[in-house]
């Protein structure tokens, strides 16, 4: 067979972009990120596609409203911030004790 024929048969066998191409995928480009925990840390680039680690600032864009909503304030534990409304209501008082209520006989 000629060189043209060989090239034609190779091209003919790989005409699809789908099923036959998926079988060739066995290398991992992304692995788990240490900061966000998603499988978005690009191994060769050594950056996370989701949170931007190791950059000190979190990756965020306003064009992706849902992504902002998923990781905004209130989606986590809020160990400090969840007590703020109650403390604000009481004027941030500290070191005081509630007065004892005496029952009337």
């Amino acid at each position: 067979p000629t060189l043209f024929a060989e090239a034609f048969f190779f091209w003919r066998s790989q005409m699809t972009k789908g099923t036959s191409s998926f079988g060739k995928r066995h290398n991992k480009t992304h692995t788990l990120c240490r900061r966000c925990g998603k499988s978005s840390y690009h191994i060769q680039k050594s950056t996370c596609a989701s949170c931007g680690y190791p950059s000190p600032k979190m990756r965020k864009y306003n064009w992706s409203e849902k992504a902002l909503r998923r990781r905004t304030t209130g989606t986590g534990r809020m160990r400090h911030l969840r007590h703020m409304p109650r403390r604000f209501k009481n004027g941030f008082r500290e070191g005081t004790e509630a007065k004892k209520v005496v029952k009337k006989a």
Side-chain angles (χ1 to χ4, degrees):
T2 63
L3 188 65
F4 172 76
E6 284 180 28
F8 176 77
F9 285 118
F10 174 76
W11 172 79
R12 192 79 184 140
S13 64
Q14 267 300 100
M15 216 167 72
T16 175
K17 290 187 247 174
T19 313
S20 57
S21 300
F22 284 101
K24 293 177 167 55
R25 297 209 246 171
H26 50 71
N27 296 324
K28 282 189 175 180
T29 51
H30 295 90
T31 187
L32 291 178
C33 174
R34 294 160 73 178
R35 181 157 69 184
C36 67
K38 283 179 144 188
S39 179
S40 305
Y41 187 79
H42 197 285
I43 300 164
Q44 284 189 326
K45 287 187 195 174
S46 64
T47 52
C48 178
S50 179
C51 72
Y53 180 85
S55 168
K57 290 184 178 178
M58 284 288 278
R59 174 188 172 273
K60 82 176 207 43
Y61 294 101
N62 289 332
W63 47 256
S64 181
E65 206 174 304
K66 268 191 184 176
L68 295 176
R69 213 183 304 148
R70 287 187 196 111
R71 62 169 76 125
T72 190
T73 312
T75 56
R77 284 173 62 184
M78 298 207 309
R79 294 189 289 286
H80 175 72
L81 203 58
R82 70 174 164 207
H83 304 296
M84 282 295 129
R86 172 174 40 85
R87 290 183 59 209
F88 171 75
K89 182 183 73 176
N90 296 317
F92 295 100
R93 66 182 176 204
E94 285 183 347
T96 59
E97 213 171 300
K99 290 173 186 169
K100 289 188 172 118
V101 179
V102 181
K103 289 183 180 178
K104 292 176 184 175

